[in-house]
Amino acid sequence: MIRHFLTRQFLCFVGVGATAAVANWLSRLIVSHWVSFAWSVVLAYGVGMTVAFTLNSIFVFPGSDKPRERQAFEFVLVNLCFLPLVWVGAIAFERTLQWFGVRRYTESVAHAFALAIPMFGSFLVYKFFTFKRRLNER
């Protein structure tokens, strides 16, 4: 199992994930001017998902034999399954930081930590399900 994480593909996935996380994080900063922190995490998640799908399908998991629409559907499905984990994580991290007396940037730091939660699990699901490659390819 661990061998899947010691690959160039996983490093590319981390780079794409970091890019998508920045898009997610920045959009949450903007959206949070109009809605609560909890709702801004949910709404920004869609921006991050869009960036992540586009970049993953091009750079990390090219060569899938599934139609693009099916990949997108499965990608959204996987990410919707991880959304509650990220949402609860963001709120829990924020409250934990405040409990420790941190008062500045708690929402930003908490959101950044929460975005990293699904990294390993989502990589495996994308690799073996969403962007599954043809049997004759590596």
Side-chain angles (χ1 to χ4, degrees):
M1 176 75 69
I2 202 146
R3 68 181 169 88
H4 296 293
F5 300 112
L6 303 174
T7 63
R8 182 179 182 280
Q9 184 183 39
F10 182 69
L11 287 177
C12 287
F13 176 77
V14 170
V16 162
T19 303
V22 167
N24 184 322
W25 189 81
L26 289 173
S27 63
R28 198 239 358 122
L29 286 176
I30 294 166
V31 172
S32 67
H33 289 289
W34 295 283
V35 298
S36 70
F37 173 64
W39 275 109
S40 66
V41 169
V42 172
L43 296 173
Y45 198 77
V47 172
M49 252 195 318
T50 303
V51 171
F53 174 76
T54 303
L55 297 178
N56 272 306
S57 64
I58 294 168
F59 297 111
V60 183
F61 303 107
S64 175
D65 55 355
K66 290 183 181 181
R68 188 73 143 191
E69 297 79 21
R70 184 70 188 172
Q71 291 175 20
F73 174 77
E74 291 175 3
F75 188 88
V76 169
L77 185 64
V78 168
N79 280 280
L80 288 177
C81 290
F82 280 113
L83 175 59
L85 186 63
V86 172
W87 186 73
V88 168
I91 293 169
F93 283 134
E94 182 203 19
R95 290 184 180 163
T96 301
L97 288 169
Q98 289 180 356
W99 186 81
F100 278 108
V102 178
R103 299 288 179 245
R104 294 179 55 129
Y105 309 112
T106 56
E107 290 179 351
S108 296
V109 172
H111 187 216
F113 280 135
L115 289 173
I117 292 171
M119 180 174 44
F120 294 104
S122 63
F123 175 74
L124 293 175
V125 173
Y126 297 158
K127 181 176 179 78
F128 296 112
F129 178 66
T130 305
F131 296 105
K132 187 174 179 164
R133 299 180 103 183
R134 294 179 197 103
L135 292 176
N136 60 351
E137 296 182 35
R138 293 168 112 218

